[in-house]
Every structure is written in C-alpha cells, then in structure tokens.
Amino acid sequence: MPPIRNRHEMTTLSDVLAVLPPSARLHAGRGAQTDRSLVLADVTHDSRSAGPGVLFACRPGQVADGHDFGPAAVAAGSPALLVERPLDVDVPQVQVDSVAATLGVVAATVQDHPSSALELAGVTGTNGKTTITYLMESILAAGGHTTGVVGTVSTRIAGETVAGARTTPEAPDLQRLLRRMVTSGVTAAAMEVSSHGLALGRVNGTRFSVVVFTNLTQDHLDFHPDLEDYYQAKASLFTSRFAPAAVVNVDDAFGRRVAGETALQVVRVGSRPDADVTARDVVSAPGGSTFTAVLGGRSVPVRTALPGHFNVTNALCAVAAADVMGIAPEIAAAGVAALSGVPGRMERVEAGQPFTVLVDYAHTPDSLQNVLRAARGLIDARPGAGTATGTARVIVVIGCGGDRDRGKRPLMGRAAVEGADLAVLTSDNPRSEDPMAILEAMLAGVREVPGARHTLEPARREAIALALGEARPGDVVVIAGKGHETTQELADRVVDFDDGAVARELLAGRAGQR
C-alpha cells in the first residue's frame, strides 16, 4: 500500500493511477487535457453526488450501467471519470478492466487510506457478526480506545450513531466513513464484512489488523449461485491484501477449511484439540454465562450477559481478536462483561409477564437451531423447570423473507418444529411474494417431522399475540427472524413493525386484562 500522505496533500489523478494495475490507461477524452496533477477531493458511483472535485465511477450494475450517467456527471462538474470503456466527453478518463473491483482501492486512495490509521477488526460469517462487533467495541473501549462500529444494526463513530444502509457500505461510502472516524479521533473499530461486500468489491482497499471467521451455513443463495460460491466470497477476506492475521472458529466445518487454506497467521478458536483459544468450566444461566478463557498458557475468567453457548464462542472470538490487536485478555474480559446486550440478539422483552420473551434476528436454519437450543437451556437452568401445568415449553414465532433464498424455507420450518414445542409460522418481510406461498414452502419442512406442533398465522402481529396467549408461567417465547428491524416490507409498502415493541404492547394489554 502506498505511504499515507498528510491530509493537506491533496489526492491527484497521478496518485490514483499509481495504485492501479498496469493495464489501466488514461484517456484524454474529447478535447480534454490529460493533466495528471488534477486534484480529486472525493469519488462516487452515484451521479447525484457528482460535482467539482469528485471523480465519477461508471460502475455497471444489475439495474443500470454507470457509463450511461457519465455525461450527466461531467455536466454536474466532475473533472474525471473511472470507466471500463471510454466515453465521448471532455474530461480525462481512467480506463480499467473492472470499475467494481477497482473502486475500493481508488476510494481508499482518494481518502488517504484511512483504515491504515486505525486498529480495525473485520468480522465475517453467516451468524454472529453483529454480536462480535458489539463485543469488540466494548473491549476496545475497555482498552482505552475511542471506538467505531460498522454493521447491520447501526454504525457508530465515537459512540454517536450515524446513518447506514448496508451491513457493509458501498466502497466510496465505506472509505469516506473510515476517514470520518479518523478525523473524529477514533483509534480502533470493528466492522461486519458481508459476502455481498466481498463479492462486489466494497472492502477492496481496506486494511484490517485482524479478520474473524464465525461460521458458514446456508444463506444468501438468492445472491450466490451455491454454497461454494458463498464460501469463496467469505474466504477471500483471509488473504494478505486485507490482513496479516485471522481468528477462526474451528468448531465450524467451513472454519476449519479457512484455517487450512489461508496463508495468514491463524488463531484457532473452539473446543477441538487443535484450538489455540478454548473455554473451560462453562456455566450457563438465564442471565448469561461464565467460563474461563484459555489462550495458550494464559487463563482469564470471563462473564457475559449474552445467553446461549454460541455466545460463549462469540465472546472467545472477540477476546482472541483483541489479543491479536494487543489488548490483554484481562482487559478484554472486562469489556465482554460490560456489554449488557445486543439489539435484536436474544433480547429480552420484560413487561412483568410470568414467562420469558426473547426477540432474535435468527433467520437461517443454523441460527434458529442455536437460538431455540439456548431458549431450552434457559428453562433447564432454572431450579424446578416444571410448572403447575406441566413442563415449561419453548414457543417460537418464525417466518421467512420474500425475494430471498427460497431453498432454506423448508429447512427453517423443520428447525422451528424440531427446536420448539409449538411453532407459530407467520410472515417475515414478504416483499413481492405471496405470504401464503412462503408459508407453504416452510410447511414442506414441518411435514418431515412426525407429530410436529405448529399453527399458521400470516399476520405477524396476530402471530405474536397467539404465541404470547399460549404461553404459561415458566415458558420461553422466541420471536425470531427480524430482530432489530423496525419495519416490515410488504408487496406495496413498508410499514412500521418492531417485534419487541409489538410484544411489549401486547403484554401490557394482557396485563391490563388481568
């Protein structure tokens, strides 16, 4: 990576050309001067943000081709273009083989490589990314850092929430965000890295101190043609162009594959004999878990308020990543203990009811299995799990998103009835699809389980009300699939819908009736 310039040294077209492969070519354009000293203040692929000093990237997309907007960007004042084919315009144009693959490196150069000024942890995998980034934020703060987070639930700079539309922002937005972090005094950050972000080149040009692999299970097969393609997208993060070291959950089969295939320095986390970081003396309770983290020859007691054994693994990954970043395990343990919860991740809803209500983002078969297993563990951990009306039960409310991976719907239905005593199947975000068609696909998996107890209620509010109405003292109700989301996407509109808020409202009404 080129040396970091002082911020008063502006980026020029020559700086951009210096980071591109030899195949890149500079075209003068119609009557333009090929001035390599041309100053660039920013880069964008959105023609609405084009203007003086802003390099416009003509990125081909699924819906539109950015080359079609090149003339409009020039008319708005953009002094140069990044193209795959030259256009008939009067500004210099940098031609590359792939604008999408190049855009991240170009954006990082224009923003003066902000990731190199940060201690940055990148977390990828199907499940656990959000929780680990929250844990990392708390750990980094305990280590004395001013922190930042980029992820699904929110993006924060020094504790202040800022707008974000994607788990992993588009390349120019990401580099602009990282530059804003550096300018705001952030010294360390944690970032979720999605398979979409990797496949579409959004993180190209970003340098991490450590990258973390959580697990990989079926998801996003509406975007990836198959599971192998999904894996390869995730695995691409574990190369020297992104980071020098990796923390990998080797209890996961794909994690073992990553650990075996990467050339990075690897810290293996898990319960296997070859693990470098393990947990022993694990004690689970409704209020979380305690365990001893063993890192090589060092041991440190850890307490987490996040329930479920999978959160022990998440905490271990965070402690291991912090160790790579130079934060002592004792400080990391204090950071883990300081995190009281993660929005929409095993989040409790308390309204004085005599049973437990949890809201969770689980939207894959594996994550749903883990959450329901953890819910069962909450019952088993209580003294005298039996109730006056029988054994306490797990009840789940679950649906599947429309216009997304259809292959996982039967698997979700099966996981729901296998893990819960009663499954209430309902709508998630149906989007353009018929909710009943989605439920029928889920029922295919339900029917594979003899004696499965389930019911259908397409209206999500009524489904939550049904589950809460069924609950007896001591039961655990899991409202799964949407977690932190505050809207529901229907065919013709987006409506306000927050699972936790709806549950509280219904519980308050139930209490009033009593």
Side-chain angles (χ1 to χ4, degrees):
M1 180 173 288
I4 300 174
R5 303 181 309 278
N6 294 324
R7 283 306 291 166
H8 68 269
E9 297 179 19
M10 301 302 294
T11 305
T12 66
L13 198 56
S14 180
D15 295 322
V16 169
L17 289 166
V19 299
L20 296 179
S23 59
R25 288 176 289 170
L26 180 61
H27 296 273
R30 185 183 61 213
Q33 298 296 316
T34 54
D35 184 2
R36 291 171 179 257
S37 64
L38 180 68
V39 172
L40 302 172
D42 203 354
V43 58
T44 186
H45 65 283
D46 185 342
S47 60
R48 294 168 297 184
S49 301
V54 181
L55 173 68
F56 180 70
C58 301
R59 187 186 69 179
Q62 292 180 320
V63 177
D65 186 343
H67 291 80
D68 296 337
F69 300 93
V74 172
S78 283
L81 302 179
L82 183 67
V83 299
E84 293 179 6
R85 61 179 186 273
L87 302 179
D88 185 23
V89 292
D90 58 355
V91 297
Q93 300 166 63
V94 179
Q95 184 179 3
V96 294
D97 295 332
S98 169
V99 170
T102 306
L103 185 53
V105 176
V106 170
T109 301
V110 171
Q111 295 299 333
D112 198 12
H113 309 286
S115 62
S116 294
L118 296 167
E119 289 287 337
L120 184 61
V123 185
T124 197
T126 305
N127 304 312
K129 297 187 297 296
T130 297
T131 297
I132 292 177
T133 55
Y134 269 70
L135 286 164
M136 289 299 301
E137 179 187 34
S138 187
I139 289 171
L140 294 170
H145 285 284
T146 301
T147 62
V149 170
V150 182
T152 305
V153 175
S154 67
T155 293
R156 291 185 296 283
I157 299 176
E160 178 187 352
T161 300
V162 299
R166 293 180 171 87
T167 298
T168 305
E170 296 281 4
D173 300 328
L174 174 60
Q175 298 304 324
R176 203 177 297 117
L177 175 66
L178 294 174
R179 171 50 55 194
R180 181 176 169 187
M181 285 187 180
V182 173
T183 303
S184 299
V186 170
T187 55
M191 172 181 161
E192 294 184 49
V193 184
S194 68
S195 63
H196 290 66
L198 288 161
L200 298 173
R202 294 175 189 163
V203 294
N204 290 353
T206 305
R207 188 70 180 168
F208 299 93
S209 305
V210 62
V211 287
V212 181
F213 184 91
T214 63
N215 49 62
L216 190 137
T217 61
Q218 181 171 335
D219 198 15
H220 301 306
L221 297 191
D222 54 306
F223 177 80
H224 299 282
D226 52 39
L227 198 60
E228 178 63 19
D229 186 79
Y230 182 32
Y231 167 76
Q232 291 296 339
K234 296 287 191 184
S236 68
L237 182 63
F238 295 83
T239 59
S240 58
R241 70 188 178 111
F242 286 120
V247 169
V248 179
N249 171 21
V250 293
D251 284 343
D252 179 79
F254 283 101
R256 293 193 293 276
R257 184 175 169 187
V258 167
E261 292 178 350
T262 183
L264 302 184
Q265 171 194 339
V266 178
V267 178
R268 293 167 171 81
V269 173
S271 58
R272 294 172 57 84
D274 63 340
D276 305 301
V277 179
T278 61
R280 70 181 186 211
D281 305 324
V282 178
V283 177
S284 297
S289 301
T290 60
F291 61 94
T292 299
V294 181
L295 299 84
R298 298 165 294 168
S299 299
V300 60
V302 181
R303 177 180 61 82
T304 175
L306 309 178
H309 190 273
F310 59 91
N311 276 320
V312 172
T313 301
N314 288 336
L316 273 182
C317 287
V319 170
D323 189 48
V324 173
M325 297 171 79
I327 295 177
E330 293 76 15
I331 294 176
V336 171
L339 181 66
S340 60
V342 180
R345 280 24 177 211
M346 295 292 280
E347 183 179 2
R348 287 176 175 267
V349 178
E350 298 288 356
Q353 75 277 7
F355 50 87
T356 300
V357 178
L358 301 171
V359 171
D360 194 87
Y361 190 52
H363 62 284
T364 68
D366 181 72
S367 61
L368 184 60
Q369 289 169 353
N370 286 333
V371 165
L372 295 179
R373 192 177 300 121
R376 185 78 62 191
L378 298 184
I379 293 174
D380 296 340
R382 294 173 183 153
T387 68
T389 54
T391 303
R393 304 164 302 159
V394 173
I395 301 170
V396 64
V397 178
I398 186 66
C400 287
D403 302 334
R404 298 293 186 268
D405 182 359
R406 300 186 180 198
K408 72 179 181 182
R409 294 171 186 174
L411 304 178
M412 291 290 287
R414 178 168 186 139
V417 294
E418 285 183 333
D421 300 289
L422 171 63
V424 182
L425 306 184
T426 189
S427 293
D428 187 286
N429 292 309
R431 301 184 178 91
S432 70
E433 290 193 63
D434 177 2
M436 288 307 300
I438 298 173
L439 291 172
E440 279 297 326
M442 295 180 70
L443 281 173
V446 170
R447 296 187 185 108
E448 296 173 357
V449 182
R453 187 151 182 249
H454 68 281
T455 186
L456 265 63
E457 175 47 73
R460 192 170 182 90
R461 181 185 179 87
E462 282 66 27
I464 294 172
L466 192 158
L468 298 177
E470 281 280 333
R472 303 186 298 239
D475 287 351
V476 178
V477 177
V478 177
I479 306 170
K482 288 175 56 59
H484 62 281
E485 295 177 355
T486 57
T487 60
Q488 187 177 30
E489 299 176 49
L490 308 177
D492 57 346
R493 65 194 187 283
V494 176
V495 298
D496 291 338
F497 201 100
D498 181 322
D499 281 352
V502 169
R504 287 186 192 90
E505 181 183 336
L506 292 169
L507 288 168
R510 172 180 168 134
Q513 291 172 359
R514 287 202 304 271

